[in-house]
Amino acid sequence: GIFDLLNLMFTPFTVLEFLHSLSWVVIELGYGLVMQFKEEYALTCLPIFALSGSFFNTLFTDLRAREVIIDSSTIRLNHVVLFSVWLFLWLWRKHLLYKSYKKVEKDLVEYEELWKKVAEDEETVSALRVKFAKIAHNHQSSSALQHVFLCPGPA
């Protein structure tokens, strides 16, 4: 991104070449800053980087040639491969999450039924309140926990 910015500043360009280089500066510098300072968003921004890089390259190349040319010089195969790998990994992650959820779905239903039974039994609820009150009393610094544990439930 910085090299493209220096190239943009010190090379005489036509308007379309200038806009083409400026788009690369924004795309590469923007993604580089995300990777440097907000690394947790790097994979989220990756498809935007890959698609916008290919789109702007194709757009400005076609505008300069005054015709629509879609080939390996305009589509940027490295971005297509990058986006394809990202898409595969994203779909694979969704698939694994779905499989994992299916494995625990039955347990989740049983867990919810168990807690409904516990919540309906006044004796168990009062015993839990007493235990939570003792825990809250032992941890005086946690006033939010005291409020939650000591407040009476719905009537």
Side-chain angles (χ1 to χ4, degrees):
I2 292 177
F3 176 74
D4 289 330
L5 182 62
L6 291 173
N7 186 32
L8 181 67
M9 291 169 51
F10 297 112
T11 306
F13 286 125
T14 65
V15 174
L16 285 176
E17 290 171 337
F18 176 81
L19 291 174
H20 191 182
S21 291
L22 183 63
S23 70
W24 276 113
V25 167
V26 170
I27 291 167
E28 290 178 347
L29 199 56
Y31 190 67
L33 289 172
V34 167
M35 285 177 44
Q36 185 67 32
F37 297 111
K38 291 290 187 177
E39 187 178 351
E40 65 270 19
Y41 299 116
L43 287 178
T44 305
C45 295
L46 183 65
I48 297 167
F49 169 74
L51 292 176
S52 61
S54 289
F55 171 76
F56 282 120
N57 194 56
T58 304
L59 173 71
F60 287 115
T61 303
D62 290 349
L63 285 175
R64 284 194 307 213
R66 298 190 194 279
E67 62 180 287
V68 177
I69 303 169
I70 298 179
D71 61 8
S72 62
S73 67
T74 59
I75 295 241
R76 301 294 298 236
L77 291 178
N78 57 344
H79 284 208
V80 172
V81 169
L82 187 62
F83 178 74
S84 301
V85 169
W86 175 87
L87 184 62
F88 171 76
L89 293 174
W90 184 80
L91 290 172
W92 183 250
R93 180 178 179 265
K94 291 291 182 185
H95 171 71
L96 291 178
L97 286 172
Y98 177 76
K99 279 178 44 177
S100 299
Y101 177 76
K102 283 299 182 186
K103 287 182 180 179
V104 298
E105 188 175 28
K106 185 176 78 173
D107 294 336
L108 189 61
V109 170
E110 290 176 13
Y111 178 80
E112 290 295 326
E113 289 174 3
L114 178 66
W115 272 107
K116 281 182 186 176
K117 288 178 185 176
V118 168
E120 291 171 355
D121 185 15
E122 285 298 321
E123 189 176 312
T124 307
V125 171
S126 63
L128 282 173
R129 280 207 177 109
V130 169
K131 286 186 180 189
F132 287 147
K134 287 179 184 177
I135 292 171
H137 182 67
N138 290 338
H139 300 287
Q140 289 293 328
S141 64
S142 179
S143 61
L145 282 177
Q146 290 176 8
H147 175 74
V148 168
F149 295 141
L150 296 176
C151 287

